[in-house]
Amino acid sequence: MKAIPYILTVFTILCWSCEDKIDINLNDADPKLVIVGDLTNLSDKQQIRVSRTVAFNETVNSLPVNDAKVEVSEVGGRVFVFQSAGQNGIYSFSGMPLREGKTYRLSVQVGDDLYESESTVPKYVQVEQFGIKEETIFGETYKMITFGFNDPANLANYYRYLISVNSGPLEFSTVLSDKFNDGLSVTHDIANEDNDLKSGDEIVIRRQCVDRGVYRYWNEFQSTNPGSASPANPTSNISNGALGYFSASSAQEYKTLME
């Protein structure tokens, strides 16, 4: 394992720079509301996107919903009213720092329909070792980013990773739990979707500590057979039949140059 390069602990990248690949089953006859809110404590600028699914043969992936009423409240604290940022279904709020241990409630009103969710910000589990690892599998050598840390004992912990390669968008890599290593020294090996990291690549990884509902969503997502023509929609943590997810997480970002 190589020594720690340098860490971007507060690297301000707004949520819309992330590209979560969410496969939605579009065979339903009726359009479904999709809400995606990935709030972190990396910045006090937060955003939520509201859209509707479209038929499989449409030329666009989704239709933005621009007339929603979007609010997030900190339980026992402030209410944050998100404002539409244009005609793209994105609602944003500047000046909303997330606090570890606090629970945040989402409310999205679209016409007469109300969609709700809540998410709690876990305490961030600090990384103690961060470096580059090579592993040979069936004669092929693969490069990965490795994180070493001590998992807190007697506490359910869930970790989500996104990766950017050579200034590309942050994309989902994996989500993991401590189900089998609670309280132990843990190593997470992270790569991109094609597992083709190579020397000279500039890598940024966002590491999030998320709650159980968010973990469940992304664990179902990564377990879905990518070859399926009609993938099952992951179990959303949003009420009233909405698709998507709402997450309030603690996070840090790490940057390195592959050697």
Side-chain angles (χ1 to χ4, degrees):
M1 182 180 299
K2 296 183 172 61
I4 295 178
Y6 46 98
I7 300 177
L8 304 183
T9 57
V10 185
F11 193 77
T12 305
I13 298 181
L14 302 185
C15 289
W16 52 83
S17 67
C18 304
E19 289 194 358
D20 288 336
K21 296 181 179 179
I22 302 177
D23 292 325
I24 300 295
N25 182 349
L26 300 180
N27 289 337
D28 295 328
D30 297 327
K32 296 288 188 179
L33 196 75
V34 183
I35 300 171
V36 176
D38 193 353
L39 283 54
T40 78
N41 62 356
L42 289 174
S43 170
D44 65 358
K45 298 178 180 179
Q46 313 293 350
Q47 78 154 22
I48 294 168
R49 186 170 194 266
V50 184
S51 62
R52 290 191 186 277
T53 60
V54 295
F56 183 76
N57 58 355
E58 292 289 338
T59 58
V60 294
N61 295 327
S62 62
L63 292 176
V65 174
N66 299 308
D67 59 351
K69 180 181 179 182
V70 179
E71 295 181 351
V72 176
S73 60
E74 182 183 281
V75 174
R78 290 182 57 188
V79 176
F80 305 90
V81 180
F82 282 55
Q83 301 297 324
S84 176
Q87 297 299 307
N88 51 11
I90 292 175
Y91 298 79
S92 60
F93 191 96
S94 296
M96 182 186 172
L98 298 190
R99 298 191 290 171
E100 291 184 357
K102 294 295 184 179
T103 297
Y104 293 84
R105 290 176 177 163
L106 169 71
S107 171
V108 176
Q109 183 87 38
V110 180
D112 295 329
D113 297 320
L114 179 64
Y115 305 87
E116 296 178 303
S117 182
E118 68 176 37
S119 181
T120 300
V121 182
K123 182 178 180 181
Y124 189 77
V125 178
Q126 295 294 333
V127 171
E128 298 182 358
Q129 294 176 308
F130 168 63
I132 301 169
K133 174 182 178 180
E134 289 188 355
E135 187 168 315
T136 301
I137 303 175
F138 298 116
E140 295 288 338
T141 299
Y142 299 95
K143 292 180 179 287
M144 292 166 280
I145 308 299
T146 184
F147 293 84
F149 60 96
N150 291 318
D151 181 81
N154 303 316
L155 180 67
N157 291 283
Y158 308 98
Y159 307 91
R160 178 174 178 246
Y161 292 88
L162 298 98
I163 185 170
S164 165
V165 181
N166 296 325
S167 301
L170 281 165
E171 296 182 336
F172 175 73
S173 174
T174 190
V175 65
L176 300 162
S177 78
D178 65 351
K179 181 178 180 179
F180 300 110
N181 49 31
D182 177 59
L184 302 179
S185 178
V186 178
T187 299
H188 287 166
D189 297 330
I190 308 302
N192 59 340
E193 182 180 28
D194 298 322
N195 202 18
D196 60 357
L197 301 180
K198 58 185 181 298
S199 297
D201 284 343
E202 295 181 351
I203 307 297
V204 174
I205 292 182
R206 176 178 293 181
R207 180 176 183 266
Q208 295 174 286
C209 292
V210 299
D211 66 14
R212 184 178 182 276
V214 177
Y215 166 78
R216 180 185 180 187
Y217 179 92
W218 286 103
N219 188 50
E220 289 186 11
F221 171 84
Q222 72 181 2
S223 299
T224 300
N225 180 2
S228 173
S230 179
N233 296 320
T235 302
S236 176
N237 63 349
I238 304 172
S239 70
N240 204 14
L243 303 179
Y245 70 101
F246 173 65
S247 171
S249 69
S250 57
Q252 290 187 5
E253 292 190 350
Y254 303 80
K255 183 177 181 180
T256 190
L257 180 68
M258 299 297 289
E259 298 180 359

